[in-house]
């Protein structure tokens, strides 16, 4: 079932979809929004050792969708033209962002940020302390929200 939902989400990304805005006559093409809703609720579920995990966060960049899966400490790289790759990052990735030439995760349980090179899928860990809970890339700079220990 989740594989079918994932396929539907990828089709939405590729062909687009319509979302009704606040005004009933206001429609706009927002395929990423539809994809995010589908991915976060259904498709980004993984079975690992008999447990079910859900997506913690989603980002798009470098021709792929990047899904942070908190329960198994991975980021899924979903490329519509290739197979899905699971990439190990720090403990409990709760947020993901794309920018400045990389994919970034905020890893809540080990106080780190992971930098994933989208070309090689190499991961670099950066200690930021506390409990990172959010991440964004703005103007080529990476910003991290950190909860006090």
């Amino acid at each position: 079932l989740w594989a079918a939902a994932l396929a539907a989400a990828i089709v939405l990304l590729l062909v687009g979809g319509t979302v009704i805005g606040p005004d009933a006559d206001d429609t706009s093409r927002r395929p990423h929004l539809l994809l995010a809703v589908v991915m976060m609720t259904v498709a980004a579920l993984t079975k690992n050792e008999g447990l079910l995990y859900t997506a913690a966060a989603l980002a798009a960049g470098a021709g792929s969708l990047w899904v942070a899966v908190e329960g198994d400490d991975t980021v899924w790289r979903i490329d519509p033209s290739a197979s899905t790759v699971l990439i190990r990052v720090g403990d409990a990735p709760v947020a993901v962002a794309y920018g400045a030439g990389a994919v970034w995760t905020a890893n809540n349980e080990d106080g780190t940020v992971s930098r994933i090179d989208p070309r090689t899928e190499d991961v670099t860990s950066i200690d930021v302390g506390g409990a990172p809970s959010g991440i964004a890339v703005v103007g080529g700079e990476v910003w991290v929200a950190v909860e006090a220990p």
Side-chain angles (χ1 to χ4, degrees), residues 1-2 8-9 18 20 29 44 59 64 73 85 93 109 111 117 127 130 140 144:
L1 177 61
W2 72 269
T18 302
I20 304 298
R29 306 285 289 171
S64 298
D73 304 332
V85 176
E109 291 184 9
D117 182 325
D127 186 15
V144 181

Side-chain angles (χ1 to χ4, degrees), residues 71-110:
D72 69 354
D73 304 332
T74 61
V75 170
W76 287 20
R77 180 181 192 163
I78 302 171
D79 181 342
S81 65
S83 61
T84 299
V85 176
L86 274 64
I87 302 167
R88 284 259 170 233
V89 293
D91 292 341
V94 295
V96 63
Y98 176 81
V103 177
W104 305 85
T105 65
N107 307 312
N108 190 259
E109 291 184 9
D110 66 2

Side-chain angles (χ1 to χ4, degrees), residues 46-141:
T46 179
K47 270 195 169 178
N48 187 2
E49 299 174 14
L51 300 174
L52 190 65
Y53 300 114
T54 59
L58 175 78
S64 298
L65 296 172
W66 303 86
V67 182
V69 182
E70 181 179 2
D72 69 354
D73 304 332
T74 61
V75 170
W76 287 20
R77 180 181 192 163
I78 302 171
D79 181 342
S81 65
S83 61
T84 299
V85 176
L86 274 64
I87 302 167
R88 284 259 170 233
V89 293
D91 292 341
V94 295
V96 63
Y98 176 81
V103 177
W104 305 85
T105 65
N107 307 312
N108 190 259
E109 291 184 9
D110 66 2
T112 65
V113 165
S114 293
R115 180 192 183 278
I116 303 169
D117 182 325
R119 288 173 288 131
T120 63
E121 296 171 355
D122 288 339
V123 178
T124 304
S125 181
I126 303 163
D127 186 15
V128 295
S133 58
I135 196 160
V137 182
V138 179
E141 296 182 339

